[in-house]
Amino acid sequence: MKAVVYEGPRQVSTKDVPDAKIERPTDVLVRVTTTNICGSDLHMYEGRTSFEVGRTFGHENMGEVIEVGSGVEKVRVGDRVVLPFNISCGFCKNCERGLTNYCLTTQPDPSFAGAAYGFADMGPYGGGQAELLRVPFGDHNALRLGEDAEERENDYAMLSDIFPTGYHATEMAGVVPGDSVVIAGAGPVGLMAALSAMIKGAAKVMVVDRHPDRLALAEQIGAIAIDDSKVDPVQAVLDETMGLGADRGCECVGYQAHDPQGNEDTAATLNMLINSVRFTGGIGTVGVFVPQDPGAKGELAKQGKAAIDFGTHWFKGQTMGSGQAPVKRYNRQLRDLIAAGKATPSWIVSHEISLDQAADAYKNFDARSKGWTKVLIKPGMSTEKKAN
């Protein structure tokens, strides 16, 4: 099968690799119809993680079931499914508590928790930026879709990661109807957090970024765009909230945050939120942070540490939730919102490409080239068809 393979820092290629196949009775084999490039992939693409050369990328996946193991009871051949990026068992201590993002069964390293397709330090599982994907514990992990699966494919593809992740940010922040919300980052996850806050009935949503095309997408759903290359974002939020600060904040950037001049500062977005969220407000942090970052310039950042304004955070009595999203906690209800026409997360999609166009897409997405907001790879797309 063809797959997108990591060749080293900022190098990927599309090549033939061994076909994914059923390995255990509880497996499901999926023909991938859509797989997305995620901002989290860029950390690995840039060589800032332990992702191994030769592995296949892709943790945002959906497709058609073409084979099931002998132990599969619910999922059937022909089902259209979308797959949480978390690979979980459904029966370990964490899964039973709904924390499928920290499954203890699917992570082979006993000192870690949580597994994912094609992701650094999250198990040996192949990624879905390929023609075929093996899905462990298929009955548990595959979310079946309705008759509109093909019609709304680009919407449902967002259920694999970014829509539930954006929603999780608002959950950890504690967003309730009438709240004011500030979101750090207008990338795909930040835009999904803005959409989620809108769905929850937030009275005012502010999105901080500096890319005009991405801020324009935030404005399309009624959010207030704040360009931090032109204004002080903290003061802008205070001005929008009568000097009190936002009720809630969502961190959707992660450890490679940087200022408008391009200087990397792991704590930049965290401190912006601490200082722009009101007393007793909540912050949800879903941007990726890592235990160590040898590629960082600062000694503190190399150790996975950040110089956050903890004194201010404590003094203001704020709460902060963090970590990857337990996708299964939200994907069914978000699926039903899409099916009912209440949510259309595909409004952020900028490009649909074939597997053979992946290298160019990674280059442009990593560079934040104008107009490259969310890239969907369609393995069945003709290589002659040009990207949108």
Side-chain angles (χ1 to χ4, degrees):
M1 66 179 186
K2 284 187 175 181
V4 179
V5 176
Y6 177 61
E7 304 282 13
R10 290 188 166 87
Q11 294 182 24
V12 299
S13 65
T14 302
K15 59 174 55 177
D16 289 329
V17 301
D19 284 354
K21 61 183 180 180
I22 298 287
E23 298 180 16
R24 302 182 65 182
T26 51
D27 287 350
V28 163
L29 187 64
V30 170
R31 176 180 63 84
V32 179
T33 55
T34 297
T35 175
N36 311 331
I37 299 179
C38 179
S40 299
D41 290 326
L42 297 182
H43 301 305
M44 297 178 286
Y45 173 73
E46 294 172 5
R48 295 286 289 270
T49 70
S50 60
F51 197 71
E52 304 92 343
V53 170
R55 285 192 66 187
T56 301
F57 278 134
H59 60 273
E60 298 187 9
N61 310 306
M62 69 178 295
E64 180 183 359
V65 176
I66 61 170
E67 186 180 351
V68 299
S70 61
V72 175
E73 297 287 340
K74 180 179 67 174
V75 176
R76 295 286 182 264
V77 171
D79 283 348
R80 292 273 179 162
V81 297
V82 63
L83 309 164
F85 79 88
N86 322 114
I87 304 175
S88 56
C89 68
F91 53 76
C92 72
K93 181 177 181 179
N94 283 347
C95 284
E96 286 183 347
R97 296 165 62 197
L99 301 173
T100 53
N101 46 337
Y102 295 110
C103 179
L104 301 170
T105 303
T106 53
Q107 169 55 254
D109 186 337
S111 66
F112 281 39
Y117 303 99
F119 208 92
D121 299 320
M122 299 195 73
Y125 307 98
Q129 289 175 14
E131 293 176 312
L132 300 172
L133 180 66
R134 171 193 170 231
V135 180
F137 300 106
D139 276 336
H140 171 69
N141 285 305
L143 178 68
R144 293 179 296 174
L145 303 171
E147 294 180 354
D148 63 349
E150 292 183 66
E151 175 189 353
R152 299 178 184 266
E153 176 143 349
N154 288 359
D155 290 312
Y156 288 129
M158 304 305 157
L159 295 174
S160 57
D161 180 355
I162 62 169
F163 195 6
T165 293
Y167 195 89
H168 186 53
T170 67
E171 283 284 288
M172 291 192 295
V175 175
V176 296
D179 273 347
S180 57
V181 183
V182 55
I183 296 167
V189 171
L191 292 169
M192 290 298 110
L195 175 62
S196 299
M198 294 290 187
I199 289 170
K200 287 185 164 196
K204 181 175 288 189
V205 178
M206 298 155 281
V207 180
V208 180
D209 203 291
R210 62 193 68 119
H211 295 280
D213 53 335
R214 297 185 173 194
L215 289 171
L217 287 171
E219 290 179 319
Q220 285 182 20
I221 59 169
I224 297 167
I226 297 175
D227 186 337
D228 70 349
S229 69
K230 298 179 178 178
V231 299
D232 176 355
V234 173
Q235 189 59 51
V237 173
L238 294 176
D239 290 344
E240 289 283 350
T241 56
M242 299 182 292
L244 297 172
D247 297 301
R248 313 291 170 186
C250 299
E251 201 292 328
C252 302
V253 177
Y255 72 107
Q256 289 183 256
H258 54 277
D259 64 23
Q261 290 72 46
N263 302 305
E264 193 169 295
D265 178 2
T266 299
T269 50
L270 291 170
N271 287 335
M272 185 274 288
L273 291 171
I274 288 170
N275 287 285
S276 60
V277 170
R278 68 189 302 163
F279 279 75
T280 72
I283 299 170
T285 303
V286 293
V288 173
F289 288 83
V290 292
Q292 58 274 324
D293 178 19
K297 293 182 179 180
E299 289 303 315
L300 204 61
K302 287 181 180 180
Q303 302 172 55
K305 299 176 181 179
I308 68 168
D309 295 339
F310 186 75
T312 301
H313 175 64
W314 183 93
F315 185 70
K316 295 174 80 171
Q318 297 168 337
T319 59
M320 184 183 294
S322 62
Q324 293 182 340
V327 170
K328 281 184 63 67
R329 184 180 295 177
Y330 312 116
N331 66 352
R332 188 177 297 269
Q333 66 202 60
L334 297 178
R335 175 200 65 185
D336 293 345
L337 284 175
I338 292 171
K342 303 292 186 181
T344 310
S346 65
W347 107 93
I348 70 168
V349 174
S350 58
H351 293 75
E352 298 177 38
I353 65 167
S354 69
L355 280 170
D356 289 331
Q357 295 169 309
D360 181 65
Y362 265 96
K363 180 180 178 180
N364 280 285
F365 191 49
D366 182 52
R368 277 67 170 177
S369 298
K370 183 178 180 180
W372 287 77
T373 309
K374 186 62 176 176
V375 181
L376 276 55
I377 300 175
K378 307 280 186 174
M381 178 183 288
S382 169
T383 55
E384 287 77 25
K385 185 175 180 180
K386 294 182 179 180
N388 290 348

